[in-house]
Amino acid sequence: MLSLGPLAFAAPWLLAALAVLPVVWLLLRVTPPAPRTIDFPAIRLLRDLTNREETPARTPLWLLILRMLLAALIILALARPLLNPDAVLPDGGPLLLVVDNGWAAGRDWPSRQETMERLIDQAERSDRDVVMLATAPGAGDGVPRLVGPMVAADARREAQALAPVPWSSDHAAALKALEAFQPDGTPYTVWLAEGLAGEGTPALVDRLRRMGGLEVVGDGAERPALLLRPPAGDPQGLTVPVERSFGGLPQPVTLRATGEDGRLLATGEAAFEPGQTRTEVRLELPTELRNEVTAVRLDAQTTAGATILLDERWRRRPVGLVSGRPEGENQPLLSEIYYLNRALAPFAEVRQGTTADLMARELAVLILADVGSLTGPEAEGLTEWVENGGLLVRFAGPRLAQNADELVPVRLRAGDRALGGALSWSEPARLAPFAEESPFQGLRIPPDVTVSRQVLAEPSVELQSRTWARLADGTPLVTAEKRGAGWIVLVHTTASPDWSNLAISGLFVEMLQRMVALSSGVAAEGAAGTLPPLELLDGLGRLAPPPATAFPVSARQAMEQPAEVVGPRHPPGFYGTAEARQALNLSPAVPELRPLQAEINGLAQGLYGARGEVDLKPWLLAAALALAVIDLFIGLGLRGLLGRPGRIGKSALGRFARRGAAVLAVITAAGLAVPPEVSAQDWTFGARSFAPPPDPDTMSPEERAIAATSENWLAFVRTGDGSVDQTSSAGLTGLGHELERRTAVEIAGAMPVDLETDELAFYPMIYWPVTPGQASPSEAAKARLNEYLRNGGMLLVDTRDQAFGSGGPGGPFLEEMLSGIDVPPLAPVPPEHVLTKAFYLLQDFPGRYAGGDVWVEATEGRTNDGVSPVIVGSNDWAGAWAVNDQGRPMNAVVPGPERQREMAYRFGINLVMYALTGNYKADQVHVPAILERLGQ
């Protein structure tokens, strides 16, 4: 190497080529430029007939200088000039690179690789071998690696392949790896440190001192290693402790909380004061966002220690809500879900949906509000879930009082008990003080909390031990039973103010909080089993698919002894399944951070990223390339090969514009000439076409879904009896025509549905004719019907008993058919029911036959009637509505006259309006208009 002050040449012998530049100068000087071609008219040849003596022109001086400079740049670049060259390695044995590649090295790994490249270049210039020792255990065998001696080319490949790992360096194991190192001569050691000291660090430093020259390269006091400790949660957010390895200087830190999809959910800032090595960062997060956080990361820190992964242990216990009544979308104050949601939101993650959807995810608590009969699969799944540790809370109501199943802590009496009212001598009951063995013990009972209606428990021996709360008269209000590892809790009143004002009191919130606290959560301390690796952190703190070297981890050991688990076999990350994953973080396995500075005092020290030598070869070659391009264009210009670019004349532009206009005119004319693909009968002016709707039987499931969601359809259940199904289709079609003629409702047609396979949510009302011998729906169909009814659907059950006399499909047969379907308590339609005034004012509801009762949901003494999800009758309404293709009635009405068919149509119109518009006609604002129509 030739040094000239701050400039040095790694290949100085190539500078001898500069002596050839004078020869190049002479050759370029005597070489004339290439002749130039000039275009001219042929008549100009006459002017050049005179014979003239010509001499070649010389190359211009400025062009000579340009080309000489180009040649000089190439020669200088090949000599590899270095600006501010590093000191030459001392003579001796190989270069030993000790590289800390533990988790703390990932915060600026490119600078470490750049330093390794520079040191390997120095070894190559000194013709010395390189030995590399990575101090972190390898992913394969779990011990530090000692590679070499090797030439510089192989050392570069090793340096490029080396990467930080998401666990700590092991200086004691690295010392053992050095025992096999037998250098040829005295090695020169450069330690690329991560700034942290461990138990084996003093012995390793002592060994490296005794081997020969030792230099330590580090990050300096202004860039200490940072580590996140597991956060602590509270109702307002997360508090995350942050530690650093050196506390001499002030340092700001910023934390980012991200979701599973990488969205930024929250940020927090704090600052280390001089001398401070620990601080806390506050992340303000509402409940909804906090439950979405999957990772908390330090900004501008790319290490596994600067990342904390969160699983269900840091989230609030998820609580699922299922309501047996559909109301709540337009009248939230009448919905149990509204009061439960408001009470649970401050301290729990609330999820709403069907029982099947909620059970598909991890739940700590499931609350069923007035859900009566459960299907067989639902009851079996809930029983298994409770026995495995789930907490099932049920609230009473009309449905549970009517259809109580076995999934309750005590046996219940049929019906309910009313306390107080116009026809009762009793008054609403207050709550008795909670017993000492009750989970509610210690809660203050407000004196104004009363219960006006409840479901009663059958007296039994175990009733006393299963009662958590009582009324003042001693009747149970809350009962519970331990089943397996979980609990079943029953609140004998509603979760809304229908039966009690408990739902609007602070005691309601406190009682729910105590019950949720009883749940073990989805990540209980007693978790067991083996969890496979799902997503693991790499050395740069990024989640990636697990490598082949990662092994499953014991769930209990990962939670109780993370310090003994985290390592090459079990890197930090997520373990388990996508639905139930457990986070294994690095920081619990890292002891208190100790700075390395005390161990390396007195040694030569450098910094990563410090200004070192600069290789000028790329810059010189780039400049030479630029000059070569310039010389190329100059040569082309001197030869006359760079003429002026052609111009487009006005005539050419005009031709182009005219041709474009002609093409546009042709396209427009062709579009106007094509006749529309619409028949004349489809052109309507202000009137709706009554063309026959498409046949649903010819539609695919996708076409049926699109049709059902784009227009209003009346649906009926397929019975398998061709004549009954034909009558149902014709009846709903006739009712649809009358709706279009008399109201603003537009009906597309009648859609047959199969309870086993078809989606029911598309239809506001489903007509179900019951036939003798009809098979009972399967459990899956009953679950679909329950979901339909709980989400606002209406089912019209027509037993058509009048057509069969006393042997119709009603009575016990109907009870068996509807078993497992969450049918509310039913009662005959009262005179003031909304169904009697939804559109027409009616007092009876005939169909093809007259005289049968119509049953709707019992109003339970409400001021405003609710919409009944189930209506049961026996008058064969579809038979009265049915019309043929000419619009004429298909069946006679019994006993008649035709006035009966008109009343059947009016009932059908009221029924559809009731299903579409709800109970708004129950509002007292309509009373004056109704009285006026009645003439009162």
Side-chain angles (χ1 to χ4, degrees), residues 60 118 156 191 207 228 300 312 344-345 347 507 509 543 556 622 686 693 786 791 842 854 935:
R118 179 167 53 85
R156 288 193 185 92
W191 185 3
R207 175 62 184 273
L228 293 183
E312 293 289 347
L344 291 166
F347 59 88
L507 178 62
V509 178
L543 282 173
R556 182 180 298 274
N786 284 337
N791 287 288
L842 302 175
V854 178

Side-chain angles (χ1 to χ4, degrees), residues 139-207:
D141 50 11
V143 296
R145 298 186 307 147
L146 181 66
V147 184
M150 53 189 165
V151 297
D154 294 337
R156 288 193 185 92
R157 284 193 291 270
E158 287 290 333
Q160 292 172 358
L162 189 63
V165 295
W167 50 84
S168 300
S169 298
D170 191 346
H171 291 166
L175 179 60
K176 292 182 180 180
L178 281 176
E179 295 177 356
F181 180 43
Q182 300 295 332
D184 185 10
T186 303
Y188 184 78
T189 304
V190 180
W191 185 3
L192 279 66
E194 62 188 6
L196 298 178
E199 294 181 358
T201 304
L204 178 62
V205 173
D206 182 65
R207 175 62 184 273

Side-chain angles (χ1 to χ4, degrees), residues 719-721 724 768-775 798-800 804 809 813 817:
T719 63
D721 187 326
V724 174
W768 187 0
V770 182
T771 60
Q774 185 176 353
D798 190 351
T799 62
R800 307 183 304 125
F804 303 97
F813 179 79
M817 285 279 294

Side-chain angles (χ1 to χ4, degrees), residues 724 767-774 797-815 817 847-855 872-879 894:
V724 174
Y767 176 71
W768 187 0
V770 182
T771 60
Q774 185 176 353
V797 180
D798 190 351
T799 62
R800 307 183 304 125
D801 284 356
Q802 306 289 336
F804 303 97
S806 60
F813 179 79
L814 180 63
E815 184 177 352
M817 285 279 294
R848 186 182 179 189
Y849 304 95
D853 289 331
V854 178
W855 298 73
V872 179
S874 60
N875 290 338
D876 190 11
W877 289 291
V894 180

Side-chain angles (χ1 to χ4, degrees), residues 506-522:
L507 178 62
F508 186 66
V509 178
E510 295 175 340
M511 293 175 66
L512 285 174
Q513 191 170 7
R514 293 283 182 93
M515 285 189 281
V516 172
L518 290 174
S519 65
S520 58
V522 297

